[in-house]
Amino acid sequence: MSFKLKDIAKEANVSISAVSLVLNDKPCRISEEKKALIKKIAEDNNYTPNINARSLITKETKTFGLIIPDIENIFFSRLTKAIENYCRQFGYTLIIVNSNDEYTQDLNLIDLLLSRGIDGLFITISNSAYNHQEDICSKLNKLTIPYVMIDRIFPDFDCNKVYFDNVKGAYLATKNLINHGHRRISCIINSINSQNSISRFEGYKKAMEEHGLSIESDFIIEGDYHIKSGYAAGDMIIKNNTTAVFVSNDMMALGLLKRLREENIRVPEDLSIVSYDNLLNDFLIDMQITSIDQKVSELGTVACDVMLNHIQNKELECKNICLDPELIIKNSIKDIVYKEQP
Amino acid sequence: MSFKLKDIAKEANVSISAVSLVLNDKPCRISEEKKALIKKIAEDNNYTPNINARSLITKETKTFGLIIPDIENIFFSRLTKAIENYCRQFGYTLIIVNSNDEYTQDLNLIDLLLSRGIDGLFITISNSAYNHQEDICSKLNKLTIPYVMIDRIFPDFDCNKVYFDNVKGAYLATKNLINHGHRRISCIINSINSQNSISRFEGYKKAMEEHGLSIESDFIIEGDYHIKSGYAAGDMIIKNNTTAVFVSNDMMALGLLKRLREENIRVPEDLSIVSYDNLLNDFLIDMQITSIDQKVSELGTVACDVMLNHIQNKELECKNICLDPELIIKNSIKDIVYKEQP
């Protein structure tokens, strides 16, 4: 038989709701001595709160929901872990659901999480949600709990959002190649119509245009963020006579490296590479790739802070937080010198 | 205004519970014509079931819970994805929670999932649960919903369990090295006291003993399944004068490869390696490692089948399913010949 709220109340000679308020650190008119006594009784008797009983009184579930597009993708599994670890420190449990990158699932899973009781929702929308913005926004607008959009956002939609500046990341990556003397620079881009891939292409174009470099049609190669598409892109890179390539994610960079190795094309001696995500270097044995780091743990903890602020301080103004990605320099870029035309 | 069960009932001139039974394919005394009519009305009006309304009638939530030790670990994130995809085909949503490999979280999260309503529970226990078997078993014994232990199990505890034969996997790996002529074979083992790591060490020992090969004390090197510990183990491997090593997971094998590359020790020319999990080869660029494959998707789908069988057929006998791991041969092992002692 476990020790219950009412047992503590009886022993401390206070009401059950007083015990609940004290153990949940809510403001109440109870003396510090009495508070200490209540906490001591709870501790001595190894009291663990019953979630249902607590939520009846506090209306809180101490649970957050997280909708994620693909739990198998290292970026998202690390993000999930970061959110989970941070929430745990504040006494919140995280319930995770996977949308399989389908916007219909985004809609269903919001309902599912609401029906199970959560205090707040984190959501990284599916890529297909960009073609159904109205449906998603209308669903989110009706929520009566706080929510935070993470990583994938709608720029014009007013809500809590925490994400990285993808234009800036791609700009930094491409500019770094230009600074090393490169002029003919390919770009392997995700063809799926998402805000983040559009922004990364924008950053590449911006850097090229700023330096008066032309983007020939065969410089732009489409992929799908997976290893195989980077491998396939390798064939185009081998043909298009560029000296450097900006790859818009690490998995495609890995595929490209596999294809180049087959043809004995060396990095950086024969081709310079800069990539995106900085998740690959852990797995590479004899080289490291210059890459744009999106600090996953920062993304997760800032999103949690926004959520907790909203809940604890009843803050109602929406936060729009754009985080800066960082260029991590490794040895995958060679300096080259072009001869000036006479 | 969405189309509801009662609207279908009115249009088909039957009771609401009749509609519910038909749409959930439950046995009922309704003519096939009427059944077809009910389904047509639902389809024509784009009816989507309300989970709460349905669970009031059927007592089902159409949701399973999954407790996983570390969502960032590729093996578990792939397992999660496999279970999620398979459940989805049968109309079930998966709610995932991460225990951070702490048995106290296993206990808490079982309560949390129960309080939120699930029809069944999948659980991969934390490693620390092996030191608290009684607590976990007592909690599981009290469950009134079906549950399946996955991958990490208690051998003596009677319940649904689906897992791989770890003794056999390690035996196959080690025997393969022996078949290539190796006699001095190191073993990098996980020092954490879990059933799976004990079994893998057992398999290594069994193969060595069967062939009359001695295990010298410096052959056995402890790690923790992470890259760094494999890297550190490299120093011991370099010193102990063995020609081959059985590494009990891929992340430690990756760390070992990094250390060997620093010393220009070539695989397989200077050292033969066989590893465990077969998750690393996707990431390797210029080599591939012979490894024991535990088919994650098979583990996930078999566990789902056990669960669905339990639920749909009200089967009460516990299933104990031990899956066979498979040796995937790549070019990380060299044949060697020892000169016979006179």
Side-chain angles (χ1 to χ4, degrees), chain A residues 255-277:
Chain A
L256 174 64
L257 289 172
K258 288 184 184 231
R259 183 74 189 94
L260 296 175
R261 191 67 60 107
E262 287 175 358
E263 300 290 329
N264 284 319
I265 296 171
R266 297 160 303 163
V267 176
E269 292 82 351
D270 306 318
L271 185 75
S272 292
I273 292 183
V274 55
S275 180
Y276 216 103
D277 282 344

Side-chain angles (χ1 to χ4, degrees), chain A residues 51-52 61 63 70-72 74 77-78 80-81 84-85 88 93-100 102 105 109 112 115-117 227 251 254 257-258 261 280-286, chain B residues 51-52 61 63 70-72 74 77-78 80-81 84-85 88 93-100 102 105 109 112 115-117 227 251 254 257-258 261 280-286:
Chain A
I51 290 169
N52 289 328
T61 62
T63 310
D70 179 8
I71 198 66
E72 208 188 337
I74 301 176
S77 63
R78 289 199 182 169
T80 301
K81 184 90 176 268
E84 211 266 332
N85 275 340
R88 188 188 297 266
T93 302
L94 189 69
I95 291 182
I96 306 145
V97 286
N98 185 76
S99 71
N100 219 13
E102 294 167 13
Q105 284 300 321
L109 293 173
L112 177 99
S115 75
R116 301 308 159 83
I227 296 177
M251 289 301 109
L254 176 59
L257 289 172
K258 288 184 184 231
R261 191 67 60 107
L280 189 56
N281 285 326
D282 273 356
F283 294 97
L284 296 179
I285 292 170
D286 59 353
Chain B
I51 290 170
N52 289 328
T61 62
T63 310
D70 180 7
I71 198 65
E72 209 188 338
I74 302 177
S77 64
R78 289 199 181 169
T80 301
K81 183 91 174 267
E84 212 264 333
N85 275 340
R88 188 188 296 266
T93 303
L94 190 70
I95 292 181
I96 306 145
V97 287
N98 186 75
S99 71
N100 220 10
E102 294 166 13
Q105 285 300 321
L109 292 172
L112 178 100
S115 74
R116 300 311 159 82
I227 296 176
M251 289 301 108
L254 177 59
L257 289 173
K258 288 184 183 231
R261 193 65 61 104
L280 189 55
N281 285 327
D282 273 357
F283 294 96
L284 295 178
I285 292 170
D286 58 354

Side-chain angles (χ1 to χ4, degrees), chain A residues 222-275:
Chain A
E222 294 195 346
D224 63 4
Y225 279 168
H226 292 107
I227 296 177
K228 272 188 187 166
S229 68
Y231 181 89
D235 286 330
M236 311 282 286
I237 298 285
I238 290 164
K239 282 184 213 143
N240 73 4
N241 199 26
T242 48
T243 62
V245 53
F246 162 57
V247 193
S248 68
N249 95 331
D250 269 348
M251 289 301 109
M252 294 196 291
L254 176 59
L256 174 64
L257 289 172
K258 288 184 184 231
R259 183 74 189 94
L260 296 175
R261 191 67 60 107
E262 287 175 358
E263 300 290 329
N264 284 319
I265 296 171
R266 297 160 303 163
V267 176
E269 292 82 351
D270 306 318
L271 185 75
S272 292
I273 292 183
V274 55
S275 180

Side-chain angles (χ1 to χ4, degrees), chain B residues 173-238:
Chain B
T174 311
K175 190 167 165 57
N176 189 255
L177 291 169
I178 296 169
N179 288 347
H180 279 83
H182 294 271
R183 296 182 186 176
R184 295 180 59 84
I185 303 171
S186 293
C187 168
I188 305 179
I189 206 74
N190 180 19
S191 61
I192 294 164
N193 177 34
S194 79
Q195 188 57 45
N196 290 355
S197 52
I198 292 168
S199 298
R200 289 182 195 175
F201 184 58
E202 215 176 291
Y204 161 77
K205 269 203 307 189
K206 188 179 158 201
M208 294 293 274
E209 284 165 6
E210 245 181 48
H211 293 81
L213 302 176
S214 65
I215 301 173
E216 295 175 21
S217 63
D218 61 351
F219 285 11
I220 303 161
I221 304 159
E222 294 196 347
D224 63 4
Y225 278 168
H226 292 107
I227 296 176
K228 272 187 187 167
S229 68
Y231 181 90
D235 286 330
M236 310 282 287
I237 298 285
I238 291 164

Side-chain angles (χ1 to χ4, degrees), chain A residues 43-299:
Chain A
E43 208 184 308
D44 289 349
N45 292 283
N46 204 15
Y47 165 75
T48 47
N50 175 301
I51 290 169
N52 289 328
R54 182 170 58 195
S55 66
L56 282 179
I57 296 170
T58 64
K59 308 281 183 207
E60 283 178 3
T61 62
K62 281 283 177 185
T63 310
F64 293 136
L66 168 66
I67 300 176
I68 213 86
D70 179 8
I71 198 66
E72 208 188 337
N73 176 316
I74 301 176
F75 181 79
F76 293 125
S77 63
R78 289 199 182 169
L79 175 63
T80 301
K81 184 90 176 268
I83 295 175
E84 211 266 332
N85 275 340
Y86 198 72
C87 287
R88 188 188 297 266
Q89 294 171 38
F90 292 88
Y92 284 87
T93 302
L94 189 69
I95 291 182
I96 306 145
V97 286
N98 185 76
S99 71
N100 219 13
D101 229 343
E102 294 167 13
Y103 88 98
T104 51
Q105 284 300 321
D106 288 335
L107 297 171
N108 290 340
L109 293 173
I110 292 172
D111 284 340
L112 177 99
L113 288 173
L114 287 180
S115 75
R116 301 308 159 83
I118 50 172
D119 295 347
L121 171 72
F122 298 104
I123 181 167
T124 301
I125 52 173
S126 60
N127 272 321
S128 59
Y130 284 98
N131 297 324
H132 302 271
Q133 180 166 346
E134 221 170 290
D135 293 352
I136 303 282
C137 293
S138 140
K139 175 70 95 182
L140 291 174
N141 265 328
K142 284 180 202 142
L143 292 183
T144 54
I145 53 166
Y147 63 95
V148 184
M149 293 186 84
I150 305 182
D151 184 50
R152 297 177 180 175
I153 57 138
F154 299 123
D156 306 327
F157 181 57
D158 185 37
C159 71
N160 290 312
K161 38 191 157 181
V162 183
Y163 55 101
F164 280 98
D165 188 336
N166 284 281
V167 177
K168 184 170 183 179
Y171 175 83
L172 284 175
T174 312
K175 192 166 163 56
N176 189 254
L177 291 169
I178 296 169
N179 288 347
H180 280 83
H182 294 272
R183 295 180 185 179
R184 296 179 59 83
I185 302 171
S186 293
C187 168
I188 306 179
I189 207 76
N190 179 19
S191 61
I192 293 164
N193 177 34
S194 79
Q195 188 56 47
N196 289 356
S197 52
I198 293 168
S199 298
R200 289 182 195 176
F201 184 57
E202 217 176 289
Y204 161 76
K205 270 203 308 190
K206 190 179 158 202
M208 294 293 275
E209 283 164 6
E210 245 182 47
H211 294 81
L213 302 176
S214 66
I215 300 174
E216 296 175 21
S217 63
D218 61 351
F219 285 10
I220 304 160
I221 303 159
E222 294 195 346
D224 63 4
Y225 279 168
H226 292 107
I227 296 177
K228 272 188 187 166
S229 68
Y231 181 89
D235 286 330
M236 311 282 286
I237 298 285
I238 290 164
K239 282 184 213 143
N240 73 4
N241 199 26
T242 48
T243 62
V245 53
F246 162 57
V247 193
S248 68
N249 95 331
D250 269 348
M251 289 301 109
M252 294 196 291
L254 176 59
L256 174 64
L257 289 172
K258 288 184 184 231
R259 183 74 189 94
L260 296 175
R261 191 67 60 107
E262 287 175 358
E263 300 290 329
N264 284 319
I265 296 171
R266 297 160 303 163
V267 176
E269 292 82 351
D270 306 318
L271 185 75
S272 292
I273 292 183
V274 55
S275 180
Y276 216 103
D277 282 344
N278 197 29
L279 297 171
L280 189 56
N281 285 326
D282 273 356
F283 294 97
L284 296 179
I285 292 170
D286 59 353
M287 64 179 313
Q288 297 279 281
I289 295 285
T290 295
S291 191
I292 297 294
D293 195 349
Q294 309 191 95
K295 292 202 185 59
V296 179
S297 63
E298 189 185 355
L299 184 65

